[in-house]
Amino acid sequence: MATKGPVPEIVDPMTDPRTGEYAVIAPGHTFKSVTQKIAGIVLTSNTPVAWMGGLFLAATVALGVVIAVTWLVLKGVGIWGITIPGAWGFAIINFVWWIGIGHAGTLISAILLLFKQTWRNSINRFAEAMTIFAVVCAGMFPLLHIGRPWLGYWLLPYPNSMNVWPQFRSPLAWDVFAVSTYATISVVFWYIGMVPDLGTLRDRAKLPLAKYVYGILSLGWRGSTRHWIRYESASLLLAGLSTPLVLSVHTTISFDFAVAAMAGWHTTIFPPYFVAGAVYSGFAMVLTLAIPIRKFYHLEDLVTLRHLDNMAKVMLATGSIVAYGYGMEVFMSWYSASHWEFFMMWNRMFGPMGWAYWILILTNIAIPLTTLWSRKLRVNVGYLFFLSFVVNIGMWFERFVIVVTSLYRDYLPSSWGTYRATKWDYMLFIGTWGLFTTLFLLFARLAPMIPMSEIRMMLPQTKVRPGGADAEVVTQEAL
Amino acid sequence: MAQVFDRSSNALARASLVLSGLIVIALGVTLNSLQRSPWVTRQGQRPDQPVPFSHKHHVEGLGLQCQYCHVSVEKSSYAGIPPTKTCMNCHSQIWTNAQLLEPVRQSWATGASLQWIKVHDLPDFVYFNHEIHVNKGIGCASCHGRVDEMPLMYEQNSLQMEWCLNCHRNPSVNLRPTSEIYNMAWAAPSTDKPVWCAPN
């Protein structure tokens, strides 16, 4: 007679074995252990050697920005590979790429907050930092690619002795407002979110200087109920403001192209498709950062496979929207019966720069969208790390294809040209990676990378009712 | 545990909030007035000319008409600075030994131009045309001020774009009969410009 054995345990690395619930963070943490873990990264006298090496390397690469910008200001934008049919090149490609990267940070901190996705808590702080540093890198390009960067302030509406105001019908003027608002709101949201954690750092710091600095930065946070109520409503309000902002900022950037009459640019699908692409590349960058960080600082308990899995799912969703965008562009160029549209797409695929289009299809669609369906691969850290690079490369090529292949062969064959980036294009672009990494490494060393206060609220201990069986344990821990 | 900040920090924190607001406002006001300041516009500055030519003496004192020296003002975009020849019309006979006029005589003798310093120096992307203004009823004094009362030439108005536009958007307040263009002392009839709202 066959005996009924025990039901075999489903071994799932992402399930809490005690409750069967999805584990957002690893079990066994207490308020103290979480705080110790995260604050310990900042409040230590042992700066990791690898961190110093990384900072040195990144700062060296960032010097490329200084050199490239100095030379650019001295010699003019002609040192770049831009030509007359292709007057937008790396500067605009990189601008859109960096801004796009920033968008995931706001998506994580704002949109996921509105949807009450608690898994965002582990990643939102450094995703927001990523946003800010990406916007810093991005913001440089629009200013530098104007031939006279010292007159960039003319883009601002201020009363002047010329009686001249910006042209409010130009999407490039909207860019100024979009990016500057985006940068401001991102910094404010990031900083407000950090205030309780800065308070924790102030209280745990041993060095008087650290106490003093974190004390000033934490603005006298005492964690009273009144503080928390206001903190929560401010966060929600900012999330509600940032959500339309994040959608409109990249929409505005897509208008730079979509408003123009160029075949390949004049497309109504651009706004949503650019936003989806931004979130796609942004999440790829969050993975690029999260995977080494969790390994290096041993944060596997807090940034779990569940987080990586969720991020990969968001990438799958937004990647599919992007793929739909590509498909629709191809379809419309045929369906429009426009000679120019048809040629644009043919040229994009099989013209002299067709290789860029196929790299784009390979890296943005072929590799990610076939593999991300597999859960095994979604929780495979090594694969995700590889994939995050693939998608970032792909999203860079998306902007390259949109900017360059639409411009260098347009309506008049007599104005067909080509585009070849120079070493100064590369130096500035690679330099911004250095700048981004430098800023990020400084952030990782000096600020709490993961919001301790929010992680503490996710612990099972917070769900215990007063007087319950676990209440005593919690009280003891709190002490 | 000792407190990190003592009580005086409260006042400092509050003051810093007020101060940063004030600094932002002050910065805005400063920049706004700086762009219109004489430091930027060079209004009222009297540069060292090679010869301290006095419009006051030649116009008010001697009663010369503007076009005697600035001959092309009605026919050309450029009003012109008189050549040394114009000076020598008189100064070959009068004040022939004046030390002040030595550069003029030098210029006459050698043929080298006098290096006058432009007081009304518009940037070269502005294509200002004297002829059209003079022929359409803008008097010299409207733009250049009471030149007949200037011992040394200086810029009366800012020559900034807003100043040009203010008139081009509402020219009527500055128009005068073309017979009065060179009349430095001309004032609009009180029907056009009631006394109670005229400047000065």
Side-chain angles (χ1 to χ4, degrees):
Chain A
M1 221 164 110
T3 48
K4 246 188 185 174
V7 183
E9 279 285 317
I10 304 162
V11 184
D12 186 331
M14 288 177 297
T15 315
D16 188 339
R18 293 178 306 172
T19 56
E21 281 177 2
Y22 266 128
V24 176
I25 56 174
H29 272 290
T30 60
F31 297 134
K32 201 167 183 176
S33 72
V34 166
T35 311
Q36 252 165 355
K37 180 97 221 171
I38 300 165
I41 296 171
V42 180
L43 300 172
T44 171
S45 50
N46 302 324
T47 307
V49 180
W51 181 89
M52 289 198 269
L55 186 71
F56 178 75
L57 194 71
T60 312
V61 178
L63 265 184
V65 173
V66 179
I67 298 167
V69 170
T70 310
W71 199 239
L72 179 80
V73 172
L74 289 175
K75 300 295 277 188
V77 284
I79 62 169
W80 289 346
I82 43 178
T83 54
I84 271 314
W88 279 4
F90 265 41
I92 302 297
I93 298 165
N94 302 337
F95 164 63
V96 182
W97 188 72
W98 274 120
I99 281 282
I101 281 174
H103 278 49
T106 322
L107 183 102
I108 290 169
S109 57
I111 299 182
L112 295 184
L113 180 69
L114 292 185
F115 285 122
K116 300 192 170 156
Q117 295 295 308
T118 47
W119 62 274
R120 72 179 264 290
N121 293 349
S122 302
I123 51 174
N124 83 333
R125 179 69 47 71
F126 65 79
E128 282 171 32
M130 177 194 81
T131 297
I132 292 158
F133 305 144
V135 172
V136 167
C137 293
M140 205 160 39
F141 287 105
L143 192 62
L144 292 175
H145 95 122
I146 57 179
R148 297 181 179 91
W150 46 89
L151 296 180
Y153 65 94
W154 284 9
L155 288 160
L156 303 172
Y158 69 100
N160 57 58
S161 63
M162 301 180 291
N163 271 11
V164 168
W165 297 84
Q167 168 58 278
F168 293 109
R169 286 187 290 187
S170 164
L172 300 176
W174 307 341
D175 274 357
V176 175
F177 308 124
V179 174
S180 54
T181 312
Y182 187 50
T184 317
I185 296 287
S186 299
V187 169
V188 168
F189 198 7
W190 181 63
Y191 179 61
I192 288 188
M194 214 154 34
V195 166
D197 281 3
L198 291 170
T200 307
L201 289 183
R202 168 200 61 199
D203 295 343
R204 295 179 66 93
K206 296 277 183 291
L207 278 178
L209 178 71
K211 260 188 191 310
Y212 192 74
V213 171
Y214 289 120
I216 288 179
L217 290 175
S218 60
L219 305 172
W221 178 266
R222 298 188 309 280
S224 73
T225 311
R226 205 179 279 201
H227 283 180
W228 279 113
I229 289 168
R230 288 178 183 162
Y231 170 88
E232 292 292 344
S233 22
S235 299
L236 261 181
L237 278 175
L238 277 169
L241 282 171
S242 305
T243 301
L245 188 67
V246 72
L247 302 180
S248 64
V249 166
H250 221 66
T251 295
T252 305
I253 284 155
S254 82
F255 284 160
D256 295 347
F257 307 99
V259 164
M262 193 68 75
W265 282 8
H266 197 62
T267 316
T268 51
I269 202 173
F270 266 16
Y273 147 64
F274 264 56
V275 173
V279 175
Y280 190 35
S281 67
F283 267 88
M285 191 56 116
V286 178
L287 281 178
T288 313
L289 295 171
I291 290 169
I293 282 173
R294 73 195 279 273
K295 180 116 184 115
F296 183 71
Y297 287 113
H298 308 293
L299 295 169
E300 284 93 343
D301 283 359
L302 301 176
V303 182
T304 58
L305 290 179
R306 165 98 166 130
H307 291 100
L308 302 185
D309 182 41
N310 280 353
M311 285 194 269
K313 281 179 184 165
V314 176
M315 278 174 68
L316 180 62
T318 48
S320 305
I321 301 174
V322 169
Y324 172 81
Y326 296 158
M328 204 38 77
E329 274 191 315
V330 176
F331 172 73
M332 279 299 168
S333 60
W334 166 76
Y335 190 66
S336 66
S338 154
H339 176 75
W340 315 108
E341 289 283 336
F342 188 85
F343 172 75
M344 179 278 298
M345 192 46 76
W346 183 90
N347 181 49
R348 205 172 255 192
M349 289 175 168
F350 309 112
M353 291 201 197
W355 53 271
Y357 186 79
W358 297 113
I359 289 181
L360 158 70
I361 296 296
L362 179 77
T363 50
N364 263 359
I365 298 182
I367 300 176
L369 297 192
T370 49
T371 51
L372 280 177
W373 295 98
S374 151
R375 187 182 199 182
K376 262 206 187 92
L377 287 173
R378 282 204 307 268
V379 294
N380 182 328
V381 179
Y383 178 73
L384 275 187
F385 193 50
F386 158 76
L387 191 77
S388 68
F389 280 97
V390 168
V391 170
N392 272 324
I393 293 168
M395 286 307 296
W396 189 85
F397 271 100
E398 180 195 300
R399 279 68 178 243
F400 177 86
V401 163
I402 289 170
V403 171
V404 172
T405 62
S406 310
L407 278 178
Y408 84 107
R409 286 188 162 188
D410 60 358
Y411 297 109
L412 273 184
S414 61
S415 61
W416 283 2
T418 186
Y419 177 79
R420 184 160 287 227
T422 64
K423 62 178 179 224
W424 298 106
D425 286 303
Y426 286 106
M427 192 191 272
L428 189 55
F429 181 38
I430 294 168
T432 52
W433 301 348
L435 178 64
F436 178 81
T437 317
T438 307
L439 293 170
F440 199 84
L441 285 173
L442 288 173
F443 156 75
R445 182 70 186 83
L446 298 172
M449 253 187 304
I450 294 176
M452 295 177 261
S453 56
E454 286 173 23
I455 298 286
R456 282 189 223 120
M457 273 187 268
M458 286 163 65
L459 295 176
Q461 287 91 316
T462 54
K463 298 187 180 94
V464 175
R465 284 194 194 84
D470 291 342
E472 206 162 316
V473 186
V474 178
T475 329
Q476 273 171 2
E477 257 172 27
L479 297 170
Chain B
M1 194 179 71
Q3 292 293 323
V4 189
F5 300 95
D6 61 27
R7 279 183 165 280
S8 67
S9 314
N10 286 334
L12 275 176
R14 286 194 194 101
S16 70
L17 282 180
V18 177
L19 265 182
S20 36
L22 286 179
I23 286 172
V24 168
I25 294 169
L27 206 66
V29 171
T30 311
L31 285 174
N32 190 47
S33 37
L34 192 70
Q35 63 173 338
R36 297 183 174 89
S37 69
W39 186 68
V40 169
T41 63
R42 288 184 265 173
Q43 271 165 285
Q45 294 179 16
R46 297 161 179 81
D48 279 335
Q49 302 283 5
V51 181
F53 178 84
S54 167
H55 277 92
K56 184 179 167 71
H57 169 66
H58 289 84
V59 181
E60 199 183 59
L62 305 174
L64 289 182
Q65 181 88 345
C66 305
Q67 312 101 295
Y68 177 73
C69 298
H70 303 288
V71 275
S72 56
V73 69
E74 283 172 357
K75 298 179 184 66
S76 163
S77 63
Y78 188 61
I81 300 240
T84 310
K85 172 79 176 62
T86 312
C87 308
M88 291 307 279
N89 285 345
C90 302
H91 288 295
S92 58
Q93 305 295 323
I94 50 176
W95 299 109
T96 47
N97 292 322
Q99 194 56 41
L100 216 62
L101 295 171
E102 181 55 27
V104 181
R105 289 190 296 272
Q106 274 291 322
S107 159
W108 186 241
T110 61
S113 299
L114 277 166
Q115 299 294 312
W116 297 106
I117 293 164
K118 259 189 131 174
V119 172
H120 295 84
D121 195 6
L122 284 177
D124 291 346
F125 51 76
V126 181
Y127 294 91
F128 179 78
N129 190 324
H130 271 92
E131 172 206 8
I132 191 71
H133 289 87
V134 169
N135 290 324
K136 293 288 180 188
I138 298 293
C140 305
S142 300
C143 301
H144 293 291
R146 290 299 297 270
V147 178
D148 60 326
E149 291 170 357
M150 293 179 188
L152 280 175
M153 191 61 197
Y154 62 86
E155 195 181 274
Q156 173 81 38
N157 290 298
S158 72
L159 308 195
Q160 278 174 329
M161 191 161 150
E162 63 177 2
W163 175 74
C164 300
L165 288 175
N166 279 345
C167 185
H168 274 268
R169 284 172 180 156
N170 183 18
S172 63
V173 291
N174 290 311
L175 290 180
R176 59 174 81 183
T178 41
S179 57
E180 301 293 339
I181 297 293
Y182 305 103
N183 179 1
M184 281 291 154
W186 185 83
S190 56
T191 47
D192 293 357
K193 260 189 192 169
V195 185
W196 46 265
C197 71
N200 302 318

